[in-house]
Amino acid sequence: MARTVWDSSVGKKTVMAVSGLVMLLYLVVHMIGNLKIFFGSGEFNHYAHWLRTLGEPFLHYEWALWIIRVVLVAAVIAHATAAYQLSRRDIRARPSKYVHRKPRASYATRTMRWGGIILGLFIVWHILDLTTGTVHPGGFQSGHPYQNVVDTFSTWYGNVIYIVAMLALGLHIRHGFWSAAQTLGAGSRTRDRALKTVANVLALLLTAGFVAVPVGVMTGVVS
């Protein structure tokens, strides 16, 4: 039954919708946590330490964090796989271009695929930068996330990569949230306007919230 659902276009769209909402929930929590950096290094570093002790003593050190990571990785893989397969299926169904021009789609709709690729590459860079420290500038300091964030956004390329990715994220959320609502049956003629408004507000708040951190470092508010 699971294979039958997965093989159908509706099943793949449902997987995309559910996995997208899981990632969206994480992004909201992650953004709120990131904004703690404006309260100083002590507050931010304490928050980072709390994430590793979450669930103790029932869970061991970092177990909750690893559970979150595993769920997120599963959501990203499911989302990307379903998107890729739906894209290939769409191309096979229409191997030639339309004779007549299609109605002009929104910028977010037309950039969903490229936006997804940009975000996928960003996730890899972000992990190598602030989790493993592999590509981190200035010397990665384990257990000192505040200083690591400041180091990253003290470089021009760190700011460019992050801000471009967050702009792509905003466009992705703007279209993706509304699309997920339609897939899961939440949309209707009376609710569509409200859903689009929620999508726009979420996209704007998340983009502004995430971009505020590099801007804070660049302007010296965070140092």
Side-chain angles (χ1 to χ4, degrees):
M1 181 179 177
R3 181 58 185 270
T4 301
V5 172
W6 172 251
D7 286 341
S8 68
S9 294
V10 173
K12 293 183 189 299
K13 289 179 179 179
T14 301
V15 168
M16 282 191 68
V18 173
S19 59
L21 291 175
V22 168
M23 290 186 285
L24 179 60
L25 177 61
Y26 167 78
L27 287 170
V28 171
V29 176
H30 188 44
M31 181 202 69
I32 294 172
N34 280 3
L35 293 177
K36 287 182 175 291
I37 201 168
F38 290 100
F39 294 94
S41 60
E43 182 80 14
F44 192 69
N45 289 340
H46 176 71
Y47 165 69
H49 176 72
W50 172 81
L51 288 175
R52 286 159 174 75
T53 60
L54 184 65
E56 288 186 345
F58 179 72
L59 298 175
H60 287 291
Y61 183 74
E62 284 196 347
W63 276 23
L65 190 58
W66 275 106
I67 290 172
I68 294 171
R69 287 169 175 167
V70 170
V71 171
L72 282 173
V73 169
V76 169
I77 292 174
H79 196 79
T81 302
Y84 174 77
Q85 292 183 357
L86 282 170
S87 177
R88 297 303 300 172
R89 184 172 293 183
D90 185 54
I91 292 173
R92 286 196 301 269
R94 292 192 292 270
S96 58
K97 295 182 178 180
Y98 288 98
V99 176
H100 302 290
R101 290 176 62 88
K102 295 172 66 177
R104 186 175 181 83
S106 69
Y107 186 76
T109 303
R110 288 184 282 114
T111 57
M112 281 294 285
R113 291 172 186 171
W114 281 109
I117 293 172
I118 290 171
L119 291 172
L121 293 174
F122 168 75
I123 290 172
V124 174
W125 175 83
H126 197 50
I127 291 173
L128 292 176
D129 178 30
L130 293 175
T131 300
T132 67
T134 308
V135 299
H136 185 75
F140 182 77
Q141 301 180 51
S142 180
H144 296 82
Y146 182 92
Q147 187 59 47
N148 292 333
V149 170
V150 172
D151 288 343
T152 291
F153 297 130
S154 294
T155 62
W156 68 267
Y157 60 86
N159 289 312
V160 170
I161 292 172
Y162 193 87
I163 292 174
V164 168
M166 292 307 100
L167 293 176
L169 176 67
L171 291 173
H172 212 75
I173 291 172
R174 181 174 178 267
H175 175 73
F177 179 83
W178 183 83
S179 181
Q182 303 304 308
T183 298
L184 297 176
S188 69
R189 184 173 297 180
T190 57
R191 290 195 293 265
D192 277 355
R193 177 172 292 185
L195 288 171
K196 287 182 178 180
T197 300
V198 172
N200 290 334
V201 171
L202 275 173
L204 180 61
L205 289 178
L206 284 169
T207 302
F210 281 119
V211 170
V213 177
V215 170
V217 176
M218 284 188 289
T219 56
V221 175
V222 176
S223 63

